[in-house]
Amino acid sequence: MPGGGPGGFMPPSHRIAEKNKEPKPENIRQVPGYLKRVIVKFFSRLFYIFGLVWETSPWILVLLVVLSAAEGLLPIAGTYISAQIINALSRTLTGEELLISSLGLLFVFQFAYLFLNRLTTDVNRILSNLSGELVTNHIRRKIMHKVKDIDVEAFDRPDFYEGLENANREAGMRPIQILNATLNIISVTVSLVGFIVILVGISGWAPLLVAFLALPSAIVSFVYRKKTAGYLRIRSKARRQMNYYSSTVVNKDMIKEVRLLGLNDEFERRYDTVFRDYFRGLRRLILQEGAWNVGLGILRIFVNCFLFFFVATLVLEKQIRIGDYSFYTGALSSISSGVTTFVNSTASIYEGTLFIDNLILFMKQKATVCSPENPEPVRTGVGHTIEFDHVSFRYPGSDHDVIHDFSLKLEAGQTVALVGFNGAGKTT
């Protein structure tokens, strides 16, 4: 039974992952088709999540998108205002006349920028928290409503029950993570476009070089997000085992039996054994991705230093003012960090959409045992008889019956006890 311990029947967990896995291209001609299918699946999952948020509360989604766009524009305005203040002060130090009112106006703009930046950040956080609770509630209610239409026999299938647990567990996490990452991409994209337009004024190749350096990071992030998602799916049985061992030891209804039978140490030992094996593969993926990111990060630092030096030479050659140095180097830094954020957020969305398949597959479950169109009404106030006539049952994937040729007749008013070993099929 799926509700039993980890020692019960469990088909290989990777069957669930393989069911929706996109086959890799076998040659270069198949690559475009493979990429197209991956991208289509990615956006279909993403739109599915946005549809869930829209179902929950359209006005929150609209406000979040608007605020994300505003958060993308504000850094550009802030960098520009700071550069103009430095330019104004430098002109004063070199003997040029500067109206106090002009400098005062710049500080008014600076104050307005700081105020709006703080306001949008706080309002965005409030809306994100509200949407998180509302979306989680909406998805859990959809799952609760869907369960009513699913055959009871499905709960005896470990693959279905595992999918249900995954969908229920991720309902409160994945959609909000994906939504926040998508909104982050909106704000970052607005900033990137603005800063790239600014930098084109002094160099057409500088923003292209910064953006080009993000390509290897994007490839690494997507490859390892997919590897990690696949690993977690394949090792879902190990995670269920760890959860079983840890939850049993702290369960108030089981603590008496655990203590009485002296199972604490045994469950801890089994938990540690499963965790070591599970963590070994996960650690390898984390260290490999980290090594790639460290190497690419060092390369980006060298390139940024070169670009900063390039902007400094423009100041020395008096092609731009000293305040413009902070403006353009700020734009370069923002493009570099923005591209990194864009890549990480996109990879996070991609990883989240892979996991959201659990929810999508669960919601597509169809009932196979349907009630008749004109069911016979149940008579009340009279005794009923329940009869099993040569009934046999076996679990899906099993090669033997747990109940074989079983007959039983229960008359009204009788008291009957079912006795048998664990796993003998009493509950079934």
Side-chain angles (χ1 to χ4, degrees), residues 23-54:
K24 292 183 179 180
E26 298 178 357
N27 53 61
I28 193 66
R29 291 193 301 270
Q30 295 180 356
V31 171
Y34 169 78
L35 292 176
K36 179 182 177 181
R37 291 191 299 273
V38 169
I39 292 172
V40 169
K41 281 189 174 181
F42 169 77
F43 279 103
S44 66
R45 298 182 188 116
L46 186 60
F47 290 144
Y48 178 82
I49 293 164
F50 268 77
L52 291 175
V53 181
W54 181 265

PDB file of all heavy atoms in Angstrom, residues 23-54:
ATOM      1  N   PRO A  23      13.263  12.895 -25.508  1.00  0.00           N
ATOM      2  CA  PRO A  23      14.419  12.136 -25.995  1.00  0.00           C
ATOM      3  C   PRO A  23      15.485  13.057 -26.596  1.00  0.00           C
ATOM      4  O   PRO A  23      15.170  13.984 -27.342  1.00  0.00           O
ATOM      5  CB  PRO A  23      13.812  11.213 -27.066  1.00  0.00           C
ATOM      6  CG  PRO A  23      12.523  11.868 -27.465  1.00  0.00           C
ATOM      7  CD  PRO A  23      12.024  12.576 -26.242  1.00  0.00           C
ATOM      8  N   LYS A  24      16.747  12.791 -26.253  1.00  0.00           N
ATOM      9  CA  LYS A  24      17.841  13.633 -26.730  1.00  0.00           C
ATOM     10  C   LYS A  24      18.088  13.391 -28.214  1.00  0.00           C
ATOM     11  O   LYS A  24      17.870  12.287 -28.720  1.00  0.00           O
ATOM     12  CB  LYS A  24      19.107  13.343 -25.923  1.00  0.00           C
ATOM     13  CG  LYS A  24      19.005  13.780 -24.472  1.00  0.00           C
ATOM     14  CD  LYS A  24      20.314  13.522 -23.739  1.00  0.00           C
ATOM     15  CE  LYS A  24      20.213  13.991 -22.286  1.00  0.00           C
ATOM     16  NZ  LYS A  24      21.476  13.755 -21.539  1.00  0.00           N
ATOM     17  N   PRO A  25      18.563  14.430 -28.923  1.00  0.00           N
ATOM     18  CA  PRO A  25      18.831  14.254 -30.359  1.00  0.00           C
ATOM     19  C   PRO A  25      19.985  13.286 -30.591  1.00  0.00           C
ATOM     20  O   PRO A  25      20.972  13.287 -29.853  1.00  0.00           O
ATOM     21  CB  PRO A  25      19.196  15.682 -30.813  1.00  0.00           C
ATOM     22  CG  PRO A  25      19.645  16.383 -29.572  1.00  0.00           C
ATOM     23  CD  PRO A  25      18.845  15.787 -28.444  1.00  0.00           C
ATOM     24  N   GLU A  26      19.855  12.463 -31.614  1.00  0.00           N
ATOM     25  CA  GLU A  26      20.889  11.481 -31.928  1.00  0.00           C
ATOM     26  C   GLU A  26      21.902  12.018 -32.919  1.00  0.00           C
ATOM     27  O   GLU A  26      22.989  11.466 -33.062  1.00  0.00           O
ATOM     28  CB  GLU A  26      20.245  10.199 -32.468  1.00  0.00           C
ATOM     29  CG  GLU A  26      19.322   9.514 -31.463  1.00  0.00           C
ATOM     30  CD  GLU A  26      18.658   8.284 -32.030  1.00  0.00           C
ATOM     31  OE1 GLU A  26      18.886   8.001 -33.238  1.00  0.00           O
ATOM     32  OE2 GLU A  26      17.914   7.606 -31.285  1.00  0.00           O
ATOM     33  N   ASN A  27      21.540  13.111 -33.625  1.00  0.00           N
ATOM     34  CA  ASN A  27      22.484  13.729 -34.562  1.00  0.00           C
ATOM     35  C   ASN A  27      22.171  15.219 -34.647  1.00  0.00           C
ATOM     36  O   ASN A  27      21.182  15.701 -34.089  1.00  0.00           O
ATOM     37  CB  ASN A  27      22.395  13.066 -35.947  1.00  0.00           C
ATOM     38  CG  ASN A  27      20.956  13.044 -36.487  1.00  0.00           C
ATOM     39  OD1 ASN A  27      20.342  14.084 -36.696  1.00  0.00           O
ATOM     40  ND2 ASN A  27      20.430  11.830 -36.692  1.00  0.00           N
ATOM     41  N   ILE A  28      23.025  15.956 -35.364  1.00  0.00           N
ATOM     42  CA  ILE A  28      22.923  17.416 -35.421  1.00  0.00           C
ATOM     43  C   ILE A  28      21.631  17.871 -36.088  1.00  0.00           C
ATOM     44  O   ILE A  28      21.090  18.934 -35.755  1.00  0.00           O
ATOM     45  CB  ILE A  28      24.151  18.009 -36.157  1.00  0.00           C
ATOM     46  CG1 ILE A  28      24.221  19.524 -35.944  1.00  0.00           C
ATOM     47  CG2 ILE A  28      24.112  17.651 -37.634  1.00  0.00           C
ATOM     48  CD1 ILE A  28      24.494  19.936 -34.522  1.00  0.00           C
ATOM     49  N   ARG A  29      21.090  17.052 -37.015  1.00  0.00           N
ATOM     50  CA  ARG A  29      19.860  17.449 -37.708  1.00  0.00           C
ATOM     51  C   ARG A  29      18.652  17.451 -36.774  1.00  0.00           C
ATOM     52  O   ARG A  29      17.674  18.144 -37.022  1.00  0.00           O
ATOM     53  CB  ARG A  29      19.595  16.507 -38.886  1.00  0.00           C
ATOM     54  CG  ARG A  29      20.582  16.648 -40.031  1.00  0.00           C
ATOM     55  CD  ARG A  29      20.061  15.925 -41.270  1.00  0.00           C
ATOM     56  NE  ARG A  29      19.842  14.513 -40.992  1.00  0.00           N
ATOM     57  CZ  ARG A  29      20.766  13.571 -41.159  1.00  0.00           C
ATOM     58  NH1 ARG A  29      21.965  13.893 -41.603  1.00  0.00           N
ATOM     59  NH2 ARG A  29      20.487  12.308 -40.889  1.00  0.00           N
ATOM     60  N   GLN A  30      18.727  16.652 -35.711  1.00  0.00           N
ATOM     61  CA  GLN A  30      17.602  16.566 -34.781  1.00  0.00           C
ATOM     62  C   GLN A  30      17.632  17.654 -33.706  1.00  0.00           C
ATOM     63  O   GLN A  30      16.672  17.796 -32.957  1.00  0.00           O
ATOM     64  CB  GLN A  30      17.584  15.196 -34.107  1.00  0.00           C
ATOM     65  CG  GLN A  30      17.318  14.045 -35.063  1.00  0.00           C
ATOM     66  CD  GLN A  30      17.316  12.699 -34.362  1.00  0.00           C
ATOM     67  OE1 GLN A  30      17.591  12.606 -33.165  1.00  0.00           O
ATOM     68  NE2 GLN A  30      17.013  11.634 -35.102  1.00  0.00           N
ATOM     69  N   VAL A  31      18.733  18.415 -33.636  1.00  0.00           N
ATOM     70  CA  VAL A  31      18.876  19.426 -32.582  1.00  0.00           C
ATOM     71  C   VAL A  31      17.807  20.521 -32.676  1.00  0.00           C
ATOM     72  O   VAL A  31      17.187  20.877 -31.661  1.00  0.00           O
ATOM     73  CB  VAL A  31      20.293  20.036 -32.602  1.00  0.00           C
ATOM     74  CG1 VAL A  31      20.382  21.246 -31.661  1.00  0.00           C
ATOM     75  CG2 VAL A  31      21.322  18.990 -32.188  1.00  0.00           C
ATOM     76  N   PRO A  32      17.551  21.133 -33.865  1.00  0.00           N
ATOM     77  CA  PRO A  32      16.518  22.178 -33.924  1.00  0.00           C
ATOM     78  C   PRO A  32      15.148  21.695 -33.446  1.00  0.00           C
ATOM     79  O   PRO A  32      14.460  22.394 -32.700  1.00  0.00           O
ATOM     80  CB  PRO A  32      16.483  22.563 -35.410  1.00  0.00           C
ATOM     81  CG  PRO A  32      17.845  22.206 -35.925  1.00  0.00           C
ATOM     82  CD  PRO A  32      18.232  20.971 -35.179  1.00  0.00           C
ATOM     83  N   GLY A  33      14.770  20.484 -33.858  1.00  0.00           N
ATOM     84  CA  GLY A  33      13.483  19.937 -33.418  1.00  0.00           C
ATOM     85  C   GLY A  33      13.454  19.694 -31.927  1.00  0.00           C
ATOM     86  O   GLY A  33      12.438  19.959 -31.261  1.00  0.00           O
ATOM     87  N   TYR A  34      14.578  19.204 -31.400  1.00  0.00           N
ATOM     88  CA  TYR A  34      14.672  18.965 -29.955  1.00  0.00           C
ATOM     89  C   TYR A  34      14.530  20.276 -29.181  1.00  0.00           C
ATOM     90  O   TYR A  34      13.769  20.360 -28.203  1.00  0.00           O
ATOM     91  CB  TYR A  34      16.011  18.296 -29.650  1.00  0.00           C
ATOM     92  CG  TYR A  34      16.346  18.227 -28.181  1.00  0.00           C
ATOM     93  CD1 TYR A  34      15.749  17.278 -27.360  1.00  0.00           C
ATOM     94  CD2 TYR A  34      17.273  19.104 -27.614  1.00  0.00           C
ATOM     95  CE1 TYR A  34      16.061  17.209 -26.007  1.00  0.00           C
ATOM     96  CE2 TYR A  34      17.591  19.045 -26.268  1.00  0.00           C
ATOM     97  CZ  TYR A  34      16.981  18.091 -25.474  1.00  0.00           C
ATOM     98  OH  TYR A  34      17.287  18.041 -24.143  1.00  0.00           O
ATOM     99  N   LEU A  35      15.260  21.312 -29.619  1.00  0.00           N
ATOM    100  CA  LEU A  35      15.186  22.619 -28.947  1.00  0.00           C
ATOM    101  C   LEU A  35      13.779  23.202 -29.038  1.00  0.00           C
ATOM    102  O   LEU A  35      13.283  23.792 -28.067  1.00  0.00           O
ATOM    103  CB  LEU A  35      16.196  23.586 -29.566  1.00  0.00           C
ATOM    104  CG  LEU A  35      17.679  23.260 -29.329  1.00  0.00           C
ATOM    105  CD1 LEU A  35      18.567  24.243 -30.087  1.00  0.00           C
ATOM    106  CD2 LEU A  35      17.999  23.286 -27.837  1.00  0.00           C
ATOM    107  N   LYS A  36      13.142  23.016 -30.187  1.00  0.00           N
ATOM    108  CA  LYS A  36      11.781  23.537 -30.350  1.00  0.00           C
ATOM    109  C   LYS A  36      10.832  22.871 -29.365  1.00  0.00           C
ATOM    110  O   LYS A  36      10.016  23.551 -28.720  1.00  0.00           O
ATOM    111  CB  LYS A  36      11.304  23.307 -31.791  1.00  0.00           C
ATOM    112  CG  LYS A  36       9.881  23.794 -32.040  1.00  0.00           C
ATOM    113  CD  LYS A  36       9.439  23.509 -33.469  1.00  0.00           C
ATOM    114  CE  LYS A  36       7.993  23.942 -33.678  1.00  0.00           C
ATOM    115  NZ  LYS A  36       7.542  23.651 -35.064  1.00  0.00           N
ATOM    116  N   ARG A  37      10.928  21.542 -29.232  1.00  0.00           N
ATOM    117  CA  ARG A  37      10.036  20.830 -28.319  1.00  0.00           C
ATOM    118  C   ARG A  37      10.291  21.237 -26.866  1.00  0.00           C
ATOM    119  O   ARG A  37       9.354  21.402 -26.082  1.00  0.00           O
ATOM    120  CB  ARG A  37      10.219  19.318 -28.490  1.00  0.00           C
ATOM    121  CG  ARG A  37       9.723  18.785 -29.821  1.00  0.00           C
ATOM    122  CD  ARG A  37       9.677  17.264 -29.822  1.00  0.00           C
ATOM    123  NE  ARG A  37      10.992  16.669 -29.611  1.00  0.00           N
ATOM    124  CZ  ARG A  37      11.857  16.406 -30.583  1.00  0.00           C
ATOM    125  NH1 ARG A  37      11.534  16.689 -31.843  1.00  0.00           N
ATOM    126  NH2 ARG A  37      13.027  15.840 -30.309  1.00  0.00           N
ATOM    127  N   VAL A  38      11.580  21.393 -26.502  1.00  0.00           N
ATOM    128  CA  VAL A  38      11.916  21.802 -25.135  1.00  0.00           C
ATOM    129  C   VAL A  38      11.366  23.187 -24.837  1.00  0.00           C
ATOM    130  O   VAL A  38      10.792  23.433 -23.770  1.00  0.00           O
ATOM    131  CB  VAL A  38      13.448  21.762 -24.926  1.00  0.00           C
ATOM    132  CG1 VAL A  38      13.831  22.436 -23.602  1.00  0.00           C
ATOM    133  CG2 VAL A  38      13.950  20.327 -24.932  1.00  0.00           C
ATOM    134  N   ILE A  39      11.530  24.115 -25.798  1.00  0.00           N
ATOM    135  CA  ILE A  39      11.058  25.492 -25.593  1.00  0.00           C
ATOM    136  C   ILE A  39       9.528  25.534 -25.506  1.00  0.00           C
ATOM    137  O   ILE A  39       8.962  26.236 -24.672  1.00  0.00           O
ATOM    138  CB  ILE A  39      11.574  26.402 -26.722  1.00  0.00           C
ATOM    139  CG1 ILE A  39      13.100  26.549 -26.618  1.00  0.00           C
ATOM    140  CG2 ILE A  39      10.907  27.775 -26.664  1.00  0.00           C
ATOM    141  CD1 ILE A  39      13.729  27.266 -27.797  1.00  0.00           C
ATOM    142  N   VAL A  40       8.871  24.771 -26.390  1.00  0.00           N
ATOM    143  CA  VAL A  40       7.399  24.737 -26.359  1.00  0.00           C
ATOM    144  C   VAL A  40       6.892  24.204 -25.026  1.00  0.00           C
ATOM    145  O   VAL A  40       5.963  24.757 -24.421  1.00  0.00           O
ATOM    146  CB  VAL A  40       6.860  23.888 -27.527  1.00  0.00           C
ATOM    147  CG1 VAL A  40       5.364  23.613 -27.355  1.00  0.00           C
ATOM    148  CG2 VAL A  40       7.096  24.605 -28.855  1.00  0.00           C
ATOM    149  N   LYS A  41       7.507  23.125 -24.534  1.00  0.00           N
ATOM    150  CA  LYS A  41       7.111  22.575 -23.244  1.00  0.00           C
ATOM    151  C   LYS A  41       7.366  23.575 -22.120  1.00  0.00           C
ATOM    152  O   LYS A  41       6.553  23.711 -21.201  1.00  0.00           O
ATOM    153  CB  LYS A  41       7.878  21.278 -22.961  1.00  0.00           C
ATOM    154  CG  LYS A  41       7.324  20.065 -23.679  1.00  0.00           C
ATOM    155  CD  LYS A  41       7.991  18.788 -23.178  1.00  0.00           C
ATOM    156  CE  LYS A  41       7.351  17.555 -23.791  1.00  0.00           C
ATOM    157  NZ  LYS A  41       7.972  16.306 -23.285  1.00  0.00           N
ATOM    158  N   PHE A  42       8.511  24.259 -22.200  1.00  0.00           N
ATOM    159  CA  PHE A  42       8.861  25.246 -21.177  1.00  0.00           C
ATOM    160  C   PHE A  42       7.790  26.326 -21.077  1.00  0.00           C
ATOM    161  O   PHE A  42       7.293  26.639 -19.988  1.00  0.00           O
ATOM    162  CB  PHE A  42      10.225  25.854 -21.507  1.00  0.00           C
ATOM    163  CG  PHE A  42      10.571  27.061 -20.683  1.00  0.00           C
ATOM    164  CD1 PHE A  42      10.990  26.917 -19.370  1.00  0.00           C
ATOM    165  CD2 PHE A  42      10.490  28.336 -21.217  1.00  0.00           C
ATOM    166  CE1 PHE A  42      11.317  28.023 -18.603  1.00  0.00           C
ATOM    167  CE2 PHE A  42      10.805  29.445 -20.465  1.00  0.00           C
ATOM    168  CZ  PHE A  42      11.228  29.292 -19.153  1.00  0.00           C
ATOM    169  N   PHE A  43       7.413  26.903 -22.228  1.00  0.00           N
ATOM    170  CA  PHE A  43       6.440  27.994 -22.197  1.00  0.00           C
ATOM    171  C   PHE A  43       5.030  27.493 -21.890  1.00  0.00           C
ATOM    172  O   PHE A  43       4.235  28.221 -21.283  1.00  0.00           O
ATOM    173  CB  PHE A  43       6.465  28.761 -23.522  1.00  0.00           C
ATOM    174  CG  PHE A  43       7.584  29.755 -23.615  1.00  0.00           C
ATOM    175  CD1 PHE A  43       8.711  29.485 -24.363  1.00  0.00           C
ATOM    176  CD2 PHE A  43       7.525  30.946 -22.909  1.00  0.00           C
ATOM    177  CE1 PHE A  43       9.755  30.383 -24.424  1.00  0.00           C
ATOM    178  CE2 PHE A  43       8.564  31.860 -22.982  1.00  0.00           C
ATOM    179  CZ  PHE A  43       9.687  31.581 -23.736  1.00  0.00           C
ATOM    180  N   SER A  44       4.716  26.267 -22.288  1.00  0.00           N
ATOM    181  CA  SER A  44       3.384  25.745 -21.943  1.00  0.00           C
ATOM    182  C   SER A  44       3.248  25.586 -20.440  1.00  0.00           C
ATOM    183  O   SER A  44       2.203  25.896 -19.863  1.00  0.00           O
ATOM    184  CB  SER A  44       3.141  24.406 -22.657  1.00  0.00           C
ATOM    185  OG  SER A  44       4.027  23.413 -22.174  1.00  0.00           O
ATOM    186  N   ARG A  45       4.316  25.106 -19.781  1.00  0.00           N
ATOM    187  CA  ARG A  45       4.284  24.997 -18.320  1.00  0.00           C
ATOM    188  C   ARG A  45       4.220  26.371 -17.674  1.00  0.00           C
ATOM    189  O   ARG A  45       3.501  26.575 -16.687  1.00  0.00           O
ATOM    190  CB  ARG A  45       5.531  24.253 -17.829  1.00  0.00           C
ATOM    191  CG  ARG A  45       5.671  22.823 -18.307  1.00  0.00           C
ATOM    192  CD  ARG A  45       6.928  22.209 -17.712  1.00  0.00           C
ATOM    193  NE  ARG A  45       7.248  20.908 -18.262  1.00  0.00           N
ATOM    194  CZ  ARG A  45       8.352  20.642 -18.970  1.00  0.00           C
ATOM    195  NH1 ARG A  45       9.215  21.601 -19.222  1.00  0.00           N
ATOM    196  NH2 ARG A  45       8.581  19.434 -19.400  1.00  0.00           N
ATOM    197  N   LEU A  46       4.999  27.320 -18.231  1.00  0.00           N
ATOM    198  CA  LEU A  46       5.024  28.675 -17.667  1.00  0.00           C
ATOM    199  C   LEU A  46       3.653  29.334 -17.767  1.00  0.00           C
ATOM    200  O   LEU A  46       3.171  29.947 -16.807  1.00  0.00           O
ATOM    201  CB  LEU A  46       6.073  29.512 -18.398  1.00  0.00           C
ATOM    202  CG  LEU A  46       6.342  30.913 -17.845  1.00  0.00           C
ATOM    203  CD1 LEU A  46       6.827  30.843 -16.404  1.00  0.00           C
ATOM    204  CD2 LEU A  46       7.364  31.642 -18.716  1.00  0.00           C
ATOM    205  N   PHE A  47       3.001  29.211 -18.931  1.00  0.00           N
ATOM    206  CA  PHE A  47       1.667  29.793 -19.106  1.00  0.00           C
ATOM    207  C   PHE A  47       0.645  29.093 -18.207  1.00  0.00           C
ATOM    208  O   PHE A  47      -0.320  29.726 -17.750  1.00  0.00           O
ATOM    209  CB  PHE A  47       1.237  29.713 -20.574  1.00  0.00           C
ATOM    210  CG  PHE A  47       2.022  30.632 -21.482  1.00  0.00           C
ATOM    211  CD1 PHE A  47       2.341  30.249 -22.767  1.00  0.00           C
ATOM    212  CD2 PHE A  47       2.443  31.864 -21.025  1.00  0.00           C
ATOM    213  CE1 PHE A  47       3.062  31.082 -23.598  1.00  0.00           C
ATOM    214  CE2 PHE A  47       3.170  32.721 -21.851  1.00  0.00           C
ATOM    215  CZ  PHE A  47       3.483  32.323 -23.144  1.00  0.00           C
ATOM    216  N   TYR A  48       0.859  27.808 -17.968  1.00  0.00           N
ATOM    217  CA  TYR A  48      -0.033  27.084 -17.054  1.00  0.00           C
ATOM    218  C   TYR A  48       0.040  27.701 -15.657  1.00  0.00           C
ATOM    219  O   TYR A  48      -0.991  27.905 -14.998  1.00  0.00           O
ATOM    220  CB  TYR A  48       0.367  25.611 -17.008  1.00  0.00           C
ATOM    221  CG  TYR A  48      -0.462  24.771 -16.059  1.00  0.00           C
ATOM    222  CD1 TYR A  48      -1.698  24.269 -16.446  1.00  0.00           C
ATOM    223  CD2 TYR A  48      -0.009  24.486 -14.772  1.00  0.00           C
ATOM    224  CE1 TYR A  48      -2.469  23.498 -15.579  1.00  0.00           C
ATOM    225  CE2 TYR A  48      -0.770  23.723 -13.897  1.00  0.00           C
ATOM    226  CZ  TYR A  48      -1.990  23.224 -14.307  1.00  0.00           C
ATOM    227  OH  TYR A  48      -2.747  22.471 -13.433  1.00  0.00           O
ATOM    228  N   ILE A  49       1.242  28.022 -15.206  1.00  0.00           N
ATOM    229  CA  ILE A  49       1.421  28.615 -13.882  1.00  0.00           C
ATOM    230  C   ILE A  49       0.818  30.013 -13.835  1.00  0.00           C
ATOM    231  O   ILE A  49       0.140  30.382 -12.868  1.00  0.00           O
ATOM    232  CB  ILE A  49       2.918  28.657 -13.518  1.00  0.00           C
ATOM    233  CG1 ILE A  49       3.432  27.225 -13.342  1.00  0.00           C
ATOM    234  CG2 ILE A  49       3.168  29.455 -12.247  1.00  0.00           C
ATOM    235  CD1 ILE A  49       4.926  27.104 -13.353  1.00  0.00           C
ATOM    236  N   PHE A  50       1.051  30.807 -14.876  1.00  0.00           N
ATOM    237  CA  PHE A  50       0.456  32.139 -14.908  1.00  0.00           C
ATOM    238  C   PHE A  50      -1.067  32.053 -14.942  1.00  0.00           C
ATOM    239  O   PHE A  50      -1.755  32.904 -14.388  1.00  0.00           O
ATOM    240  CB  PHE A  50       0.973  32.924 -16.119  1.00  0.00           C
ATOM    241  CG  PHE A  50       2.187  33.742 -15.821  1.00  0.00           C
ATOM    242  CD1 PHE A  50       3.428  33.153 -15.724  1.00  0.00           C
ATOM    243  CD2 PHE A  50       2.094  35.101 -15.601  1.00  0.00           C
ATOM    244  CE1 PHE A  50       4.556  33.893 -15.424  1.00  0.00           C
ATOM    245  CE2 PHE A  50       3.207  35.858 -15.311  1.00  0.00           C
ATOM    246  CZ  PHE A  50       4.444  35.263 -15.218  1.00  0.00           C
ATOM    247  N   GLY A  51      -1.569  31.007 -15.595  1.00  0.00           N
ATOM    248  CA  GLY A  51      -3.015  30.808 -15.589  1.00  0.00           C
ATOM    249  C   GLY A  51      -3.532  30.539 -14.194  1.00  0.00           C
ATOM    250  O   GLY A  51      -4.609  31.019 -13.815  1.00  0.00           O
ATOM    251  N   LEU A  52      -2.760  29.768 -13.395  1.00  0.00           N
ATOM    252  CA  LEU A  52      -3.158  29.508 -12.011  1.00  0.00           C
ATOM    253  C   LEU A  52      -3.198  30.802 -11.202  1.00  0.00           C
ATOM    254  O   LEU A  52      -4.112  31.031 -10.405  1.00  0.00           O
ATOM    255  CB  LEU A  52      -2.181  28.522 -11.362  1.00  0.00           C
ATOM    256  CG  LEU A  52      -2.208  27.086 -11.875  1.00  0.00           C
ATOM    257  CD1 LEU A  52      -1.087  26.271 -11.218  1.00  0.00           C
ATOM    258  CD2 LEU A  52      -3.557  26.427 -11.592  1.00  0.00           C
ATOM    259  N   VAL A  53      -2.185  31.656 -11.410  1.00  0.00           N
ATOM    260  CA  VAL A  53      -2.147  32.937 -10.677  1.00  0.00           C
ATOM    261  C   VAL A  53      -3.302  33.823 -11.127  1.00  0.00           C
ATOM    262  O   VAL A  53      -3.945  34.493 -10.306  1.00  0.00           O
ATOM    263  CB  VAL A  53      -0.794  33.647 -10.905  1.00  0.00           C
ATOM    264  CG1 VAL A  53      -0.750  34.964 -10.127  1.00  0.00           C
ATOM    265  CG2 VAL A  53       0.358  32.753 -10.467  1.00  0.00           C
ATOM    266  N   TRP A  54      -3.594  33.822 -12.422  1.00  0.00           N
ATOM    267  CA  TRP A  54      -4.695  34.639 -12.948  1.00  0.00           C
ATOM    268  C   TRP A  54      -6.031  34.154 -12.382  1.00  0.00           C
ATOM    269  O   TRP A  54      -6.892  34.963 -12.039  1.00  0.00           O
ATOM    270  CB  TRP A  54      -4.704  34.573 -14.468  1.00  0.00           C
ATOM    271  CG  TRP A  54      -5.787  35.404 -15.101  1.00  0.00           C
ATOM    272  CD1 TRP A  54      -7.017  35.000 -15.500  1.00  0.00           C
ATOM    273  CD2 TRP A  54      -5.723  36.806 -15.383  1.00  0.00           C
ATOM    274  NE1 TRP A  54      -7.740  36.038 -16.022  1.00  0.00           N
ATOM    275  CE2 TRP A  54      -6.974  37.173 -15.967  1.00  0.00           C
ATOM    276  CE3 TRP A  54      -4.756  37.779 -15.211  1.00  0.00           C
ATOM    277  CZ2 TRP A  54      -7.240  38.476 -16.370  1.00  0.00           C
ATOM    278  CZ3 TRP A  54      -5.031  39.082 -15.619  1.00  0.00           C
ATOM    279  CH2 TRP A  54      -6.260  39.416 -16.185  1.00  0.00           C
TER     280      TRP A  54
END
